[in-house]
Amino acid sequence: HSHAAPTIMGIWGPTDVDYLKLVHDQTVRALEQAGTSLRPAELWTASADSSDIDGTNVSQTDIYDGYDVDPDTPILWARDPRTHKTIGVYVNVPVHADVACVSCDNAMGADHIGVARDALGRLLGGTAVVAMGTLGRQESIVQVGRFDYSNDVGMTITDEVLRALRA
């Protein structure tokens, strides 16, 4: 989930049924489109280190003291076997998406995940998918702040991913 987007699970309040249907329909459409545009790819893997954006570096109320955090950010990179251009990249960031605060800026967005997705898509080409795969309380260095902070965290993720892909 994100603190800067409507809930689709109902945890933080009622789910907007029209919005849920929109998410469903767009997901189905994306899967259908992906299925009709299959092509050969070479798959590369890498792992970035997200410890620079993990909240254990600062005092946070939600970080569980004494628990190790997992800084591993797995990356799957699909490239055209002939041209080596990016077809797509999948990144799984282990840090909670609660940097942006919808009530702070009166706007909704995809938090640091969306910033990293957009930047990776622009820089690498192809389709970028960035997920938030944290279990427990792996919080970011900023919790529920302005969208500017979301940009900073997202660009740090982007830099980490690009560094890992170069290696």
Side-chain angles (χ1 to χ4, degrees), residues 2-6 99-109 111 144-145 147:
S2 169
H3 288 235
V99 175
C101 156
V102 72
S103 63
C104 299
D105 291 311
N106 198 26
M108 288 188 273
D111 210 303
V144 191
F147 273 98

Side-chain angles (χ1 to χ4, degrees), residues 32-83:
E32 288 172 344
Q33 183 181 2
T36 61
S37 60
L38 294 174
R39 62 182 191 210
E42 56 185 21
L43 297 179
W44 294 73
T45 61
S47 181
D49 179 351
S50 290
S51 56
D52 284 346
I53 61 164
D54 192 282
T56 56
N57 296 331
V58 295
S59 176
Q60 288 275 2
T61 58
D62 283 348
I63 296 295
Y64 292 148
D65 291 335
Y67 285 84
D68 288 337
V69 296
D70 181 5
D72 184 40
T73 300
I75 305 163
L76 181 62
W77 191 17
R79 298 171 62 187
D80 184 288
R82 290 179 296 110
T83 66

